[in-house]
Structures are given as C-alpha cells and as structure tokens.
C-alpha cells in the first residue's frame, strides 16, 4: 500500500526510468560492505548471508534510515527470490566437496561487482565428481532456503511493526524520529511483543 502512494518528488516523475534502472543495476558498495564486514578470516558463511538478509529487509522498511528503499515491495515471490539469492554465492561458488557453508569473501565481492563467475569456475559436482554428494547438497540447500523464507517473513513483519510504531510515536510527539540500527529496533520489537 505504501509503495502505491510514493510521490513524484520521491523519484517517480514521468519518464524517469534512469532512477529505477540505476537503483536496480548499480551495485551499492555500502550494502556489499555491510555483507563483507560480517566475514571472519576472509570468509563468508550462510549465517552471515542470513543475517545480512534480515538486516537488509529491516533497513529497506525504515523510512527514517539511510538505506530506506522506496522501490521495496515484498511478496511470496520476493521471499523465494531472497531465499535463493542469499545462499546462491555460497552454495554455487563454494569450493569444498562436503562443506557447503562457507566461501572466500573475495569470490562474493567479484560476483556482485563484476557480475561474472570467477576465472576457471566449475560447479562442485564437476570439480569433485567422486566425492560430491548431490543428496546432501540438495538437502542443505532446501533447509537453508526454508530458513531464509522464515527469516525474510519475520524481518518483514518486524520491519512493518517498527515503521508503524515510529509513525505513531512521531505523530504523538510531533517530531521526526531518528533512525536507530535495524538490529536494535528489531530486538526491541521482539522483546516488547513477547
């Protein structure tokens, strides 16, 4: 409903395709840095990606935050896309035959900044034909995908609650609100609703 009421002043002037195209096809280095800052010893994990997914959804919904996304829409299809997108790099580009949970941070950076696979890329099943377990790989992928759908749906609900609470507090105090970390806001929402 919010997205249907975005004004011309917010970048939706007629024939303004450039804003949308730039927003969708330019890599946001700050967002990429948010993800890579989660790395340990130059590696990113599925858990790092899941936490980034959660934070990204919360930040997108925060109208007072610097990462508010006026194009943000969320549907069952969006959840499925997010569920896959946030495990795609680790699952697809990882190097180990049996550990599907981690990847070098530079590989993720290259994927998102250069929009291509690393030089000499071959799927795990090709690189490790004798030891790669398709059943284990698909089970891990499905479990993480299902987790990501829950993470995305929960973050979306929390984000809507935060935005609603901030709007109500702003109306009652008559002042604008200052953005707080999305993780802090979500933990406050979860605590207050328990």
């Amino acid at each position: 409903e919010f997205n249907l009421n975005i004004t011309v002043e917010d970048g939706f002037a007629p024939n303004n395709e450039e804003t949308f195209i730039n927003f969708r096809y330019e890599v946001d280095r700050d967002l990429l840095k948010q993800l890579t800052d989660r790395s340990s010893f130059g590696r990113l994990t599925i858990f790092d990606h899941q936490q980034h997914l959660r934070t990204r959804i919360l930040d997108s919904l925060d109208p007072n935050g610097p990462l508010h996304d006026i194009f943000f829409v969320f549907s069952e299809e969006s959840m499925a896309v997010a569920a896959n997108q946030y495990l795609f790099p680790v699952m697809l580009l990882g190097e180990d035959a049996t550990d599907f949970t981690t990847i070098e941070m530079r590989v993720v950076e290259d994927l998102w900044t250069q929009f291509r696979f690393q030089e000499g890329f071959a799927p795990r099943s090709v690189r490790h034909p004798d030891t790669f377990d398709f059943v284990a790989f698909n089970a891990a992928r499905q479990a993480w995908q299902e987790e990501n759908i829950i993470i995305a749906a929960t973050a979306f609900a929390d984000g809507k609650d935060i935005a609603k609470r901030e709007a109500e507090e702003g109306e009652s105090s008559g002042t604008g609100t200052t953005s707080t970390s999305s993780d802090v806001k979500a933990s406050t929402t979860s605590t207050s609703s328990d």
Side-chain angles (χ1 to χ4, degrees):
E1 182 180 317
F2 168 78
N3 287 332
L4 297 177
N5 299 313
I6 295 174
T7 64
V8 167
E9 290 79 26
D10 288 325
F12 279 88
N15 302 315
N16 190 9
E17 297 88 9
E18 184 179 335
T19 299
F20 181 81
I21 291 170
N22 181 57
F23 198 84
R24 288 297 178 218
Y25 295 103
E26 290 295 316
V27 172
D28 186 322
R29 300 289 178 156
D30 292 333
L31 289 177
L32 182 58
K33 185 172 177 347
Q34 276 186 353
L35 172 61
T36 57
D37 282 351
R38 294 179 182 277
S39 69
S40 297
F41 306 105
R43 300 194 71 79
L44 285 163
T45 65
I46 288 288
F47 181 75
D48 295 330
H49 280 80
Q50 289 174 327
Q51 291 304 302
H52 184 66
L53 166 63
R54 178 182 173 278
T55 301
R56 180 64 185 115
I57 291 171
L58 290 170
D59 287 344
S60 295
L61 292 168
D62 182 357
N64 299 309
L67 298 174
H68 180 241
D69 182 350
I70 61 173
F71 296 111
F72 188 77
V73 243
F74 208 65
S75 64
E76 285 188 31
E77 181 181 348
S78 302
M79 277 192 280
V81 168
N84 284 310
Q85 180 181 12
Y86 280 81
L87 49 85
F88 169 76
V90 181
M91 293 296 290
L92 182 66
L93 300 176
E95 300 147 359
D96 195 280
T98 57
D99 180 2
F100 313 129
T101 63
T102 182
I103 190 170
E104 284 184 63
M105 181 180 72
R106 69 163 182 80
V107 173
V108 173
E109 287 176 311
D110 288 349
L111 175 68
W112 295 131
T113 58
Q114 299 173 27
F115 297 104
R116 63 181 179 84
F117 296 139
Q118 64 216 24
E119 192 68 35
F121 168 75
R124 295 172 206 251
S125 57
V126 173
R127 283 179 299 191
H128 310 286
D130 298 328
T131 55
F132 182 75
D133 185 342
F134 282 100
V135 174
F137 179 83
N138 282 327
R141 182 204 45 78
Q142 182 174 352
W144 288 324
Q145 184 175 0
E146 289 169 2
E147 268 183 58
N148 284 358
I149 288 172
I150 293 167
I151 289 166
T154 302
F156 184 66
D158 289 349
K160 286 183 4 184
D161 289 344
I162 291 166
K164 180 180 177 186
R165 187 177 70 230
E166 285 183 0
E168 290 169 353
E169 288 172 1
E171 287 174 9
S172 65
S173 69
T175 62
T177 56
T178 304
S179 183
T180 306
S181 158
S182 57
D183 290 327
V184 171
K185 289 179 185 177
S187 66
T188 305
T189 301
S190 298
T191 305
S192 63
S193 64
D194 290 342

